[in-house]
Structure formats: structure tokens, C-alpha cells
Amino acid sequence: PVAKPPPPPPPPSPRATTPITDYCSESITYRVAECYVSLESLEEPEFDDKYTDYANMRQLTAEYRVAWTVEGDASDGIISMMLQARTTGWVGFGLMGEKVGHGMINTDIWMGNVIDGVVAVHDTWSNSVAMPLKDIDFGHEEDLYDVSGYEENGITTLMFKRSLKVSDDWDYTIVEGDMPVVYSWSRQNKDALSYYHGPTRGFDTLVFIEPTDLSWIWLIALPIVGTVMLMIILFCFVDRIRSRRLRQMAEQRFNEIRQQVNKHVDGAQPRMCFGMALVTAFDFMESGKLVSHEELRNQGKIKMLDTHSQAKSLAKEFSIIFISHQWLSWTKPDPEGVHFKCIVNALRALSKRFNFELEKTYVWVDYCSIPQGNSLLQQLAISDLSEYAALASYFVVVVPPARHVDTHTICNKESYQARGWCRLEQFAK
């Protein structure tokens, strides 16, 4: 007999697919893999209902929520806070005060963690883009109390209380209406407070205390306001002709006073309290940066004119260029050399345009020409500022776009015009 052939082998089992979640777009794709992974294992942990213990809750992001209850009035009330984030690391929340700027500059920050069941929440202050400083370590007050919390199902919960009104200058009082806030949490589940948050942070505006409803006042004030407005309109109408005449009289009197002042000023003998300190254009350009008055003096590169007549005589034979600019840090005028490059370019451009020789040119710059170490001499030189500007052949304003090293704000033409010192120099010229 002929043997039957063996049955064909069973078809191979299809490979399993592993769901891969793209958390940026919240879409799900699949790829071939060697094992099965359940969708449930990739689901984010859900927040619990602890927020129901509080009067208010705000879901700032899908990963972060804050809840709070205010008790009492603004003068002696307290706020109970709850912070929750999808992390097993640290959680932070801060008040940015009245001026919204960089989230890490002058911000009152509360941050904490839960380690082996032990909860810690710290009152901190951030004055730079770095780890916040604990208030208590720098002679300030720890204003947070009744601290508690827990870490459960991949979510950290922090709870604490604080007075609404505070007197510490490292804390902000919680007031009615909108308050700008910043929040963050450890993306990599790190408990160390020094661990950088990366992209897991944000800004928002919260109303911790609802503004007082004053709409009823309008019911009383509206008739009064209407009557007052009508009286003002009538008064303006009647006063229009009379005010025109008064303006003419005032302008006439102003012109008379101005003529008298100019007459006395023109006849007065100019005086200098400190003298005028200048540096040659070549010495200035060869220095490579803005150099202090004392250093240039010690190098013998300062041309000192003790009287107004000496300065006026020099101005007849040499060009004097007055440089006006805004300092780019609290201690150094030009820490990154931005203004120095512009000044050098301006000197060369002026020499070419107005056909004068740089060999016969002197430069006046505040940092180079005003004493920096002796405050008494500095005040004397500042009192002569109008004389310096008036004696200059050219007045150069240096305002390239730049960033202030300490405040991180943009310094440009608008910020220059807002500076009283800079406007004084322009007025003197």
C-alpha cells in the first residue's frame, strides 16, 4: 500500500503589534514586535478627586492642576493650596507679582516633593534663571505651614497653607483679581529640587480672590456723574474765549522771561567744578573696550582741561566728540563690547563725512571721563555735564539693540529716551 503524505505544517502565527503612543499629537500607531503590550499599560494615571475638598480648581494642563480655598478677608485671611502633577518628582508653583516678565525673575515660588512618604514644601525666591533660593536660608520667613501630601499612582500631591498678606519682600501678597503665575514639575521624576524642569512648565493667570462687586455704586453715582459732566461742558464752553486770551498772555510772559534768562546766561562766566577729561580718538580705539577713567589716567592717556576757557580753546583746534549711551549692566557700561564697536564705527564715519582728522580728535565718554572710584569727584564731574555737552563738536547717541546683562531687558532707542541721565545729556547739548 502507498503511504499517505504528512499533513502540511500550520501557518505561522502573525506577529504581535505593540501600540506606540505619540504624546505630542495624542495619536496611536503600531509596529511589528515580538511581544504583546496592552493599551492599558500605556495610559496616563488619572488624577484623584482630592480637588473636591477645595472651593476652586484649575486644570492648567493635562499634566498639572491646582486647587485652592480662601478663608477670611484680605488683611488677615489664609489660602489653602493643593498642587498635583503627573510625576513622582518635585512640583513647583509661583507668583510673578504685578509685572509679568521672565518666569524665573523676581518670582515667589513654592516647590516640594514626597520622598519615602515624607512631604516637604519650601517657600523660595527666584531672582535669576537658576535654582530658587529658600527664604529661610537667607534671613527671610518660611510662610508655608500645615504641609502635607502624598505620592500615589504616579501623581504627586502637595498641600499647604499661607497667609494672604505678607510683609517679607521675598513674598507676594495675594490680592483680588488677576495674578500671573508660573508652574513646573520634574519631567524625569526627579526629587532633587535642583533638577531642571525642561519643557514641563508654563505661565497662566489665576483669580484667587474674586474682585469686589461694585456695580451697585453706579446706580447712585450715574446721576451725579451726569450732572458733573454737564457742568464741566458748560464751564468749558464759557471759558473757551477767556482761556484763549490767557494763553496769549502766558506765552507773552514766557517769552519775556526767556529773553531775560538768556541775557543773564550769555553774560555769565562759565565755570567747571571738576574739569573736562578727554582721551584721544586713537588711544580710545586702541584700548579695544571701554576703559575706566582711573585706568586711563594711570596710563597717562587722559587730557585734563581744568577750566572752561581751556576746553573752549581746545575745541577751536580739535574736534571733541561727546558719546551718549545707556549702560548695559549695573557695574560695567559695556560688558560684551557692543557699544564700543559702534562708537569706533561712528568715529570713523564722522571723520570721513565731515572731513576731520582722527589724529586731532578727542573723545568724551562717561566711563572714561568721569571718576568711577571717588564718589565726591564723580559728583563734581556730573555737575559739569552740561558744559561737556555744550563744548562738544559732535554729539553721538549710541543705541544699538542690546540686552541688559542684569535685567535681561532690551536696550534700544526707546529705553535710551526713557533714561533721565541720557535725556539730561541731550538737553545740555
Side-chain angles (χ1 to χ4, degrees):
V2 180
K4 293 182 179 180
S13 300
R15 282 182 155 179
T17 56
T18 304
I20 304 300
T21 303
D22 177 0
Y23 294 107
C24 294
S25 62
E26 298 184 354
S27 63
I28 298 180
T29 58
Y30 295 88
R31 66 175 172 79
V32 176
E34 299 297 333
C35 61
Y36 287 94
V37 179
S38 65
L39 285 171
E40 289 76 9
S41 66
L42 295 176
E43 293 179 353
E44 293 286 1
E46 293 295 331
F47 288 103
D48 59 22
D49 59 355
K50 186 65 178 176
Y51 73 91
T52 58
D53 294 344
Y54 296 84
N56 308 276
M57 190 276 285
R58 179 78 171 270
Q59 191 80 33
L60 298 176
T61 72
E63 315 290 327
Y64 194 107
R65 67 167 47 163
V66 57
W68 69 92
T69 298
V70 174
E71 302 175 32
D73 56 30
S75 61
D76 58 0
I78 63 171
I79 185 171
S80 301
M81 297 284 298
M82 182 201 75
L83 311 177
Q84 279 189 327
R86 283 199 177 101
T87 180
T88 56
W90 62 263
V91 180
F93 183 87
L95 305 176
M96 289 191 284
E98 296 180 358
K99 297 181 179 179
V100 180
H102 192 288
M104 294 293 288
I105 303 297
N106 295 335
T107 302
D108 181 11
I109 297 180
W110 314 320
M111 58 191 309
N113 51 29
V114 181
I115 303 177
D116 297 330
V118 179
V119 183
V121 183
H122 305 281
D123 187 5
T124 70
W125 178 261
S126 176
N127 55 15
S128 64
V129 186
M131 177 181 172
L133 307 174
K134 295 180 181 178
D135 287 24
I136 199 170
D137 291 343
F138 291 86
H140 296 267
E141 297 179 6
E142 172 63 64
D143 292 299
L144 309 182
Y145 62 95
D146 282 0
V147 173
S148 62
Y150 53 90
E151 192 176 279
E152 192 174 281
N153 194 25
I155 293 178
T156 295
T157 301
L158 303 177
M159 296 171 287
F160 53 89
K161 295 181 179 180
R162 202 203 81 163
S163 298
L164 297 175
K165 186 176 182 180
V166 290
S167 56
D168 191 341
D169 59 2
W170 272 23
D171 294 297
Y172 288 124
T173 293
I174 297 175
V175 297
E176 292 183 354
D178 293 343
M179 292 195 70
V181 300
V182 60
Y183 55 92
S184 59
W185 66 98
S186 173
R187 182 187 186 190
Q188 302 296 335
N189 299 318
K190 300 292 184 178
D191 283 314
L193 302 182
S194 59
Y195 197 86
Y196 180 55
H197 52 69
T200 52
R201 60 97 175 94
F203 307 89
D204 212 319
T205 301
L206 296 183
V207 178
F208 296 105
I209 306 175
E210 291 291 340
T212 304
D213 183 11
L214 301 177
S215 59
W216 60 273
I217 296 179
W218 283 104
L219 298 176
I220 300 174
L222 192 58
I224 300 175
V225 172
T227 302
V228 172
M229 290 299 295
L230 181 60
M231 292 177 63
I232 292 174
I233 293 173
L234 291 174
F235 175 81
C236 292
F237 178 77
V238 172
D239 193 61
R240 185 173 182 178
I241 297 176
R242 185 171 63 92
S243 61
R244 182 183 302 173
R245 176 58 182 163
L246 290 175
R247 280 199 306 271
Q248 293 174 350
M249 295 173 61
E251 290 175 1
Q252 182 179 357
R253 181 58 179 162
F254 174 79
N255 290 331
E256 292 174 356
I257 294 174
R258 183 171 60 181
Q259 290 175 2
Q260 295 176 8
V261 171
N262 290 339
K263 180 178 179 181
H264 287 290
V265 170
D266 292 340
Q269 181 64 32
R271 298 176 59 186
M272 284 188 180
C273 297
F274 175 73
M276 191 172 190
L278 301 172
V279 58
T280 66
F282 275 144
D283 285 341
F284 177 83
M285 291 189 293
E286 288 178 357
S287 65
K289 62 179 181 180
L290 291 185
V291 181
S292 71
H293 172 81
E294 288 77 4
E295 187 175 346
L296 289 172
R297 179 197 62 197
N298 295 339
Q299 295 174 1
K301 296 180 179 180
I302 289 292
K303 174 74 172 179
M304 197 68 202
L305 305 171
D306 297 317
T307 65
H308 182 275
S309 60
Q310 290 178 354
K312 191 173 183 179
S313 297
L314 182 76
K316 294 179 180 179
E317 300 181 17
F318 297 84
S319 297
I320 299 177
I321 300 179
F322 187 103
I323 304 298
S324 180
H325 70 124
Q326 177 183 356
W327 282 34
L328 299 180
S329 83
W330 298 133
T331 56
K332 297 292 183 181
D334 188 28
E336 297 178 355
V338 176
H339 283 183
F340 178 81
K341 295 177 182 177
C342 291
I343 295 172
V344 171
N345 291 336
L347 292 176
R348 291 171 177 162
L350 280 173
S351 173
K352 183 177 180 181
R353 180 176 179 181
F354 294 101
N355 195 27
F356 63 82
E357 300 176 0
L358 289 178
E359 292 87 347
K360 300 183 65 176
T361 301
Y362 285 93
V363 177
W364 189 98
V365 187
D366 54 1
Y367 190 60
C368 305
S369 302
I370 294 179
Q372 303 298 313
N374 188 313
S375 60
L376 180 59
L377 293 177
Q378 187 180 74
Q379 290 302 316
L380 290 175
I382 292 173
S383 68
D384 292 336
L385 195 60
S386 60
E387 296 293 336
Y388 302 154
L391 288 165
S393 311
Y394 302 94
F395 187 97
V396 177
V397 177
V398 179
V399 286
R403 187 174 295 277
H404 196 282
V405 171
D406 298 305
T407 64
H408 305 285
T409 56
I410 296 298
C411 297
N412 51 23
K413 182 178 179 181
E414 287 73 22
S415 63
Y416 169 89
Q417 293 288 5
R419 297 279 297 172
W421 183 291
C422 300
R423 296 180 69 179
L424 173 63
E425 293 174 344
Q426 295 179 72
F427 179 79
K429 184 57 179 174

